[in-house]
């Protein structure tokens, strides 16, 4: 059980952990547990968000509501 998940830039394991948390939130409901990125002044998460919005959303791999599962 957790109140939040903080992810910092990293490799495949970071991506795996992040998507696993999002999958759990998607299936179980957010329950007020936001995901938060851990870097200020870096474009790592902006690039990741652009991938999600440009690749996953248009292909209907996720729903528009799923974008609210992270900050």
């Amino acid at each position: 059980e957790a109140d939040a998940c903080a992810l910092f830039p990293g490799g495949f394991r970071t991506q795996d952990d992040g998507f696993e948390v999002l999958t759990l939130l998607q299936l179980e409901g957010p329950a007020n547990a936001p995901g938060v990125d851990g870097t200020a002044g870096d474009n790592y998460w902006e690039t990741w968000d652009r991938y999600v919005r440009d690749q996953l959303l248009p292909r209907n791999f996720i729903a528009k509501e799923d974008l609210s599962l992270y900050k």
Side-chain angles (χ1 to χ4, degrees), residues 16-31:
D16 180 54
D17 289 345
F19 280 117
E20 186 169 343
V21 168
L22 289 171
T23 300
L24 291 171
L25 290 172
Q26 189 181 47
L27 296 173
E28 304 291 330

Side-chain angles (χ1 to χ4, degrees), residues 3-42:
D3 293 322
C5 174
L7 291 173
F8 295 87
F12 291 137
R13 180 62 189 260
T14 298
Q15 297 297 312
D16 180 54
D17 289 345
F19 280 117
E20 186 169 343
V21 168
L22 289 171
T23 300
L24 291 171
L25 290 172
Q26 189 181 47
L27 296 173
E28 304 291 330
N32 297 318
V36 182
D37 79 72
T39 52
D42 187 310

Side-chain angles (χ1 to χ4, degrees), residues 27-69:
L27 296 173
E28 304 291 330
N32 297 318
V36 182
D37 79 72
T39 52
D42 187 310
N43 71 347
Y44 183 93
W45 295 113
E46 287 96 356
T47 303
W48 179 88
D49 181 61
R50 195 167 42 251
Y51 163 76
V52 170
R53 292 173 186 272
D54 292 349
Q55 297 296 323
L56 303 183
L57 190 59
R59 297 169 193 230
N60 295 313
F61 292 163
I62 62 168
K64 186 171 179 120
E65 299 80 38
D66 294 334
L67 298 174
S68 68
L69 296 175

